[in-house]
Amino acid sequence: MSDGSDGDGGPVAHGFPHLDAVRSAITALYRRISPDGVRAYDTSLVPADAAFSDVDDLHLGAQRVAGALVRHLRLPQARVVVGFRRMEHAASVELTAGPEYFIELNDRFRTHRRDIGAALAHEITHVLLHRLGLELPGTRDNEILTDTVTAYLGAGWLLLDAFRQDAVSSQKLGYLTPEEFGYVLAKRALVFGEDPSVWFTSPQAYTAYTRGRAEALRDLQRPPLTAAGWAGRRRYAKDRRHAGGNPGTAPDPSVPYSFEGGPDGLRVSFPCPTCHQRVRVPVRGRTRARCGLCRTVVECDT
């Protein structure tokens, strides 16, 4: 049984406390299903497929939305049985071999129907990851992986849109902070050229997305990428000089790149701005590099 984390009613964490784990999850996804596999999810789930009004039959509506998510995530077609009960978490899913998927939702979704799609998206992604054999050690990292994959494959905008806050209450679904959901959605948007913000009904979700997008754009502006700013380029040049005269010194953990010596001279490694796999290139000025994992081509000044 796999539980979906839920921050309903309590204080909502903000910022980017899980950013390293999120980036590792994106790398793991590309490694497991390949760049072509990721590109198969080039279209996000459309809002109409997750729409759920108060006049819809509770169980038939939940089955309909679950079926749309199964199709979107390219899972084998099978009956999804959705039930409701009192529970601590937002939802849970029984990870069996099939042919049916059994999902239980917290009783509160009987009256919070607009967020049923968000809860189902997380749980059905658990099914996808189980079938792919993709999991990380520990509940925390596995939940981060699930949230990240849900967002990166086009269904996680529902989870961010479920974030709402006012003077007396707050609600958030999933393990990631709202800004981290925004970050992953922006990383996806940069790959596929879409704008998920047009689907948000929550003002708080839109704000979190813009903050996450700013962080995602910073990934494109870190040295040795040519889009790096003046301060980053200056720091990089200083570190490059130091590495040239002190081979084998440990890299500064505050910067994303590191240098290593070799028979052909100094090399620099840095995270791919798309999938975060390490890219290694010789230090020899302006050059183009292709990520060996996701095939992104980047312009560098090494």
Side-chain angles (χ1 to χ4, degrees):
M1 192 75 76
S2 173
D3 293 321
S5 57
D6 172 27
D8 180 49
V12 175
H14 287 280
F16 302 93
H18 314 109
L19 200 53
D20 287 343
V22 167
R23 288 169 173 160
S24 295
I26 293 173
T27 307
L29 176 64
Y30 272 94
R31 284 177 180 163
R32 179 61 186 86
I33 69 173
S34 81
D36 290 337
V38 171
R39 292 188 187 101
Y41 295 88
D42 59 345
T43 303
S44 286
L45 185 81
V46 297
D49 284 344
F52 205 125
S53 74
D54 289 339
V55 298
D56 288 338
D57 178 271
L58 178 65
H59 291 88
L60 290 178
Q63 303 268 135
R64 172 183 56 79
V65 175
L69 284 159
V70 166
R71 290 189 297 274
H72 173 77
L73 292 171
R74 297 177 174 267
L75 281 160
Q77 290 301 304
R79 183 165 174 255
V80 183
V81 180
V82 182
F84 296 81
R85 69 175 176 87
R86 295 185 64 181
M87 57 198 302
E88 178 184 357
H89 296 285
S92 66
V93 61
E94 187 174 334
L95 296 175
T96 62
E100 296 180 328
Y101 308 127
F102 295 92
I103 297 174
E104 291 184 311
L105 301 181
N106 191 299
D107 255 346
R108 66 183 176 80
F109 287 111
R110 292 178 181 271
T111 54
H112 291 75
R113 298 185 180 189
R114 63 187 290 189
D115 298 322
I116 283 178
L120 289 174
H122 179 98
E123 300 309 317
I124 293 172
T125 302
H126 267 303
V127 175
L128 173 66
L129 294 175
H130 178 70
R131 286 180 170 266
L132 290 172
L134 178 56
E135 62 178 328
L136 298 178
T139 300
R140 170 190 173 274
D141 286 349
N142 215 42
E143 291 295 337
I144 290 173
L145 173 67
T146 304
D147 279 343
T148 301
V149 171
T150 307
Y152 207 87
L153 295 186
W157 65 267
L158 291 167
L159 284 158
L160 179 52
D161 197 39
F163 168 51
R164 287 184 293 279
Q165 207 164 25
D166 58 33
V168 295
S169 66
S170 64
Q171 173 184 280
K172 183 186 77 70
L173 298 179
Y175 198 99
L176 299 185
T177 68
E179 292 79 10
E180 288 167 342
F181 271 120
Y183 172 82
V184 181
L185 290 171
K187 299 286 282 188
R188 171 187 167 79
L190 289 168
V191 172
F192 294 118
E194 62 179 19
D195 180 11
S197 66
V198 299
W199 303 320
F200 296 141
T201 62
S202 162
Q204 292 80 21
Y206 181 84
T207 300
Y209 175 72
T210 59
R211 291 172 180 166
R213 186 173 184 274
E215 186 67 29
L217 290 174
R218 277 191 280 273
D219 289 346
L220 304 174
Q221 300 163 352
R222 304 185 195 281
L225 301 178
T226 55
W230 177 82
R233 297 294 312 153
R234 187 180 181 196
R235 169 68 186 273
Y236 177 83
K238 177 184 176 183
D239 291 340
R240 180 179 58 200
R241 287 193 300 270
H242 179 78
N246 300 272
T249 54
D252 187 330
S254 69
V255 297
Y257 50 82
S258 61
F259 297 96
E260 56 192 49
D264 299 324
L266 199 65
R267 296 171 68 87
V268 62
S269 71
F270 57 94
C272 168
T274 298
C275 73
H276 300 283
Q277 171 80 13
R278 301 293 290 189
V279 178
R280 287 176 173 81
V281 295
V283 173
R284 60 185 181 198
R286 291 185 72 97
T287 186
R288 301 180 84 197
R290 181 188 291 270
C291 175
L293 178 56
C294 72
R295 306 178 198 146
T296 297
V297 176
V298 293
E299 300 281 347
C300 310
D301 188 354
T302 60

